[in-house]
Amino acid sequence: MHESKVTGAISRRAFLGSTVAVGALASLLPLKAHAQEPLKVAGIYTVPVEQQWVSRIHIAALAAQERGDIEYTYSENTANTDYPRVMREYAEGGYDLIVGEIFGVEAEAREVAAEYPEVAFLMGSSFKEDPAIANLAVFDNYIQDASYLSGIIAGALSESGNIGMVGGFPIPEVNRLMHAFMAGAREMNPDVTFQVSFIGSWFDPPKAKETAYAMIENGADLLYAERFGVSDAAKEKGILAIGNVIDTQADYPDTVAASALWHFEPTLDKAIAEVMAGTFTAADYGIYSFMKEGGCSLAPLGTFEGKIPQAALDLVAEREAAIKDGSFTVEINDEEPKSS
């Protein structure tokens, strides 16, 4: 998740109205089936591929290329103003599947997709699919299942019952993970309190760090590190942190006790199979980030093996099994979380 998600905030009604006309063309032609030669896949990213959210897409694409399913190329640091142009260049270049994130250029990107009905587009988006643009599917990192489990561990480890949470922006993609984490923490400590703050940036480690310092001064003994910089503050002050999307424990072996990981492979692999079969269509691929689909997990305990209370581990195991068999559902709450 990054800065492109908050630019171009538009109403759902205005957005949908702007795409109806351009979508009519894309709905007329089905995507063709492909032979078994590798698909040509392009990624378009507004940040470096090292950035945590985008890195998960990039890693999945490299894995698909390694096993011979795709030929993969990508453009990184693509400004929102350039995004439609880069989409067109790849579409004109004969690429079969274009993957990216259009949070800051929703309407413009969908107009481009409508111009190339034989090209499949799989795009991170805050909006749902539009049946009128049959060749564009959407996704996002719905990893609330893993976030909930990491919250159980956090609730067991926090001695003060005061947890600090630092996020980038209060948008659905962040809010749902924070709420799930908070729900997990309350499973272990119903009286736990939260300090919640958003720094107004997707990459400003110094600001995230300063915000975390303030929370520690205000009694927090554990931090939810939705942004880079938070774990640095936790390390320097000798408290614990919970990670998000990627596993940073190797960099913070005495600090990061748990992390909710996003695995993009199920999402991308489903799209590749559909394009290969000629059945790719407008759909919401968000479900492939769910734990039961293999789209998210709790990171290995690693250096915290033996340091997590057994009651928390038992509950994590119980809930994880229930999530996977469908008998327990983690609530998806996209509203902005507030401090206690």
Side-chain angles (χ1 to χ4, degrees), residues 12 42 56 58 68 77 180 234 241 244-245 255 287 289 297:
R12 188 173 300 274
R56 310 311 292 175
H58 184 62
N77 295 313
N244 181 58
V245 175
T255 303
I287 59 170
S289 290
S297 69

mmCIF file of all heavy atoms in Angstrom, residues 12 42 56 58 68 77 180 234 241 244-245 255 287 289 297:
data_model
loop_
_atom_site.group_PDB
_atom_site.id
_atom_site.type_symbol
_atom_site.label_atom_id
_atom_site.label_comp_id
_atom_site.label_asym_id
_atom_site.label_seq_id
_atom_site.Cartn_x
_atom_site.Cartn_y
_atom_site.Cartn_z
ATOM 1 N N ARG A 12 -17.859 6.789 -5.469
ATOM 2 C CA ARG A 12 -18.171 5.567 -6.204
ATOM 3 C C ARG A 12 -19.159 5.839 -7.322
ATOM 4 O O ARG A 12 -19.029 5.332 -8.430
ATOM 5 C CB ARG A 12 -18.743 4.516 -5.237
ATOM 6 C CG ARG A 12 -18.928 3.158 -5.856
ATOM 7 C CD ARG A 12 -19.333 2.157 -4.797
ATOM 8 N NE ARG A 12 -18.331 2.052 -3.763
ATOM 9 C CZ ARG A 12 -17.281 1.244 -3.842
ATOM 10 N NH1 ARG A 12 -17.125 0.485 -4.900
ATOM 11 N NH2 ARG A 12 -16.414 1.178 -2.867
ATOM 12 N N ALA A 42 3.479 -8.173 -17.730
ATOM 13 C CA ALA A 42 4.153 -6.935 -17.353
ATOM 14 C C ALA A 42 3.591 -6.432 -16.030
ATOM 15 O O ALA A 42 2.385 -6.485 -15.795
ATOM 16 C CB ALA A 42 3.973 -5.877 -18.433
ATOM 17 N N ARG A 56 5.505 -8.145 -2.781
ATOM 18 C CA ARG A 56 4.806 -9.433 -2.755
ATOM 19 C C ARG A 56 4.310 -9.816 -4.158
ATOM 20 O O ARG A 56 4.298 -10.992 -4.523
ATOM 21 C CB ARG A 56 3.632 -9.384 -1.772
ATOM 22 C CG ARG A 56 3.977 -8.843 -0.400
ATOM 23 C CD ARG A 56 5.203 -9.499 0.186
ATOM 24 N NE ARG A 56 4.986 -10.899 0.521
ATOM 25 C CZ ARG A 56 5.935 -11.719 0.968
ATOM 26 N NH1 ARG A 56 7.172 -11.292 1.086
ATOM 27 N NH2 ARG A 56 5.651 -12.973 1.264
ATOM 28 N N HIS A 58 5.771 -8.737 -6.976
ATOM 29 C CA HIS A 58 7.004 -8.976 -7.732
ATOM 30 C C HIS A 58 7.557 -10.372 -7.466
ATOM 31 O O HIS A 58 7.942 -11.100 -8.405
ATOM 32 C CB HIS A 58 8.019 -7.899 -7.340
ATOM 33 C CG HIS A 58 9.298 -7.941 -8.103
ATOM 34 N ND1 HIS A 58 9.368 -7.764 -9.460
ATOM 35 C CD2 HIS A 58 10.586 -8.150 -7.684
ATOM 36 C CE1 HIS A 58 10.633 -7.842 -9.865
ATOM 37 N NE2 HIS A 58 11.380 -8.087 -8.804
ATOM 38 N N GLY A 68 8.494 -21.300 -15.492
ATOM 39 C CA GLY A 68 8.252 -21.323 -16.924
ATOM 40 C C GLY A 68 6.856 -20.954 -17.374
ATOM 41 O O GLY A 68 6.535 -21.080 -18.552
ATOM 42 N N ASN A 77 8.495 2.760 -10.031
ATOM 43 C CA ASN A 77 8.512 4.218 -9.848
ATOM 44 C C ASN A 77 7.737 4.940 -10.947
ATOM 45 O O ASN A 77 8.123 6.021 -11.398
ATOM 46 C CB ASN A 77 9.951 4.742 -9.790
ATOM 47 C CG ASN A 77 10.713 4.228 -8.582
ATOM 48 O OD1 ASN A 77 10.193 4.269 -7.468
ATOM 49 N ND2 ASN A 77 11.920 3.741 -8.795
ATOM 50 N N ALA A 180 -8.732 -6.030 12.521
ATOM 51 C CA ALA A 180 -8.555 -7.460 12.759
ATOM 52 C C ALA A 180 -7.498 -7.691 13.838
ATOM 53 O O ALA A 180 -7.671 -8.540 14.727
ATOM 54 C CB ALA A 180 -8.159 -8.159 11.463
ATOM 55 N N ALA A 234 10.719 0.789 18.271
ATOM 56 C CA ALA A 234 10.543 -0.288 19.251
ATOM 57 C C ALA A 234 11.893 -0.874 19.655
ATOM 58 O O ALA A 234 12.149 -1.104 20.855
ATOM 59 C CB ALA A 234 9.646 -1.375 18.670
ATOM 60 N N ALA A 241 7.373 -5.376 18.711
ATOM 61 C CA ALA A 241 6.605 -4.889 17.567
ATOM 62 C C ALA A 241 5.995 -6.068 16.815
ATOM 63 O O ALA A 241 6.492 -7.193 16.877
ATOM 64 C CB ALA A 241 7.478 -4.069 16.625
ATOM 65 N N ASN A 244 3.828 -6.336 9.382
ATOM 66 C CA ASN A 244 2.702 -6.363 8.454
ATOM 67 C C ASN A 244 3.189 -6.590 7.028
ATOM 68 O O ASN A 244 4.138 -5.939 6.585
ATOM 69 C CB ASN A 244 1.949 -5.027 8.530
ATOM 70 C CG ASN A 244 0.747 -4.961 7.632
ATOM 71 O OD1 ASN A 244 -0.155 -5.767 7.729
ATOM 72 N ND2 ASN A 244 0.738 -3.985 6.733
ATOM 73 N N VAL A 245 2.572 -7.512 6.313
ATOM 74 C CA VAL A 245 2.786 -7.833 4.897
ATOM 75 C C VAL A 245 4.072 -8.636 4.657
ATOM 76 O O VAL A 245 4.063 -9.623 3.932
ATOM 77 C CB VAL A 245 2.763 -6.576 3.995
ATOM 78 C CG1 VAL A 245 3.095 -6.909 2.551
ATOM 79 C CG2 VAL A 245 1.402 -5.901 4.071
ATOM 80 N N THR A 255 12.955 -7.869 18.456
ATOM 81 C CA THR A 255 11.890 -6.867 18.486
ATOM 82 C C THR A 255 10.597 -7.352 17.841
ATOM 83 O O THR A 255 9.518 -7.254 18.433
ATOM 84 C CB THR A 255 12.352 -5.578 17.771
ATOM 85 O OG1 THR A 255 13.546 -5.103 18.399
ATOM 86 C CG2 THR A 255 11.271 -4.507 17.819
ATOM 87 N N ILE A 287 -10.413 -12.428 -2.762
ATOM 88 C CA ILE A 287 -10.602 -13.634 -1.952
ATOM 89 C C ILE A 287 -9.354 -14.504 -1.919
ATOM 90 O O ILE A 287 -9.163 -15.284 -0.982
ATOM 91 C CB ILE A 287 -11.798 -14.466 -2.442
ATOM 92 C CG1 ILE A 287 -11.603 -14.899 -3.900
ATOM 93 C CG2 ILE A 287 -13.093 -13.706 -2.280
ATOM 94 C CD1 ILE A 287 -12.627 -15.921 -4.366
ATOM 95 N N SER A 289 -6.466 -13.642 -1.293
ATOM 96 C CA SER A 289 -5.585 -13.220 -0.205
ATOM 97 C C SER A 289 -6.027 -13.814 1.127
ATOM 98 O O SER A 289 -5.318 -13.675 2.122
ATOM 99 C CB SER A 289 -5.549 -11.688 -0.101
ATOM 100 O OG SER A 289 -4.878 -11.111 -1.197
ATOM 101 N N SER A 297 -0.576 -15.639 5.864
ATOM 102 C CA SER A 297 -0.188 -16.549 6.935
ATOM 103 C C SER A 297 0.461 -15.763 8.051
ATOM 104 O O SER A 297 0.837 -14.589 7.874
ATOM 105 C CB SER A 297 0.791 -17.618 6.424
ATOM 106 O OG SER A 297 2.047 -17.036 6.111
#
